[in-house]
Amino acid sequence: MAPHELTDVQFALIVLLLPTGTRRGRPWNDHRRVVNGVFWKLNTGVPWLPDRYGSWKTLYDRFVLW
């Protein structure tokens, strides 16, 4: 686990604040992976994103929505 990623305890604190799967259309991607990807991007500031965090567009769209 990288230093900027959420621990199990930290994620348990915010999981209730994240949207549930009650919307129409495609289901949400894994919230933990997306949140960790946003944190990685904000902490490093590099213009690229590792594959383990998924698509850059998913991270961007979710960041803007939240």
Side-chain angles (χ1 to χ4, degrees), residues 36-66:
N36 284 334
V38 169
F39 286 157
W40 184 86
K41 178 69 175 163
L42 294 174
N43 281 320
T44 62
V46 298
W48 54 273
L49 188 67
D51 292 335
R52 70 177 178 254
Y53 297 123
S55 167
W56 66 269
K57 184 159 177 22
T58 300
L59 266 63
Y60 174 78
D61 290 344
R62 195 82 62 91
F63 180 75
V64 169
L65 178 66
W66 289 344

Side-chain angles (χ1 to χ4, degrees), residues 2-25:
H4 58 271
E5 292 184 351
L6 294 176
T7 64
D8 293 336
V9 174
Q10 291 169 332
F11 187 71
L13 291 173
I14 68 164
V15 73
L16 297 176
L17 302 174
L18 300 173
T20 61
T22 58
R23 70 183 188 127
R24 295 189 308 173

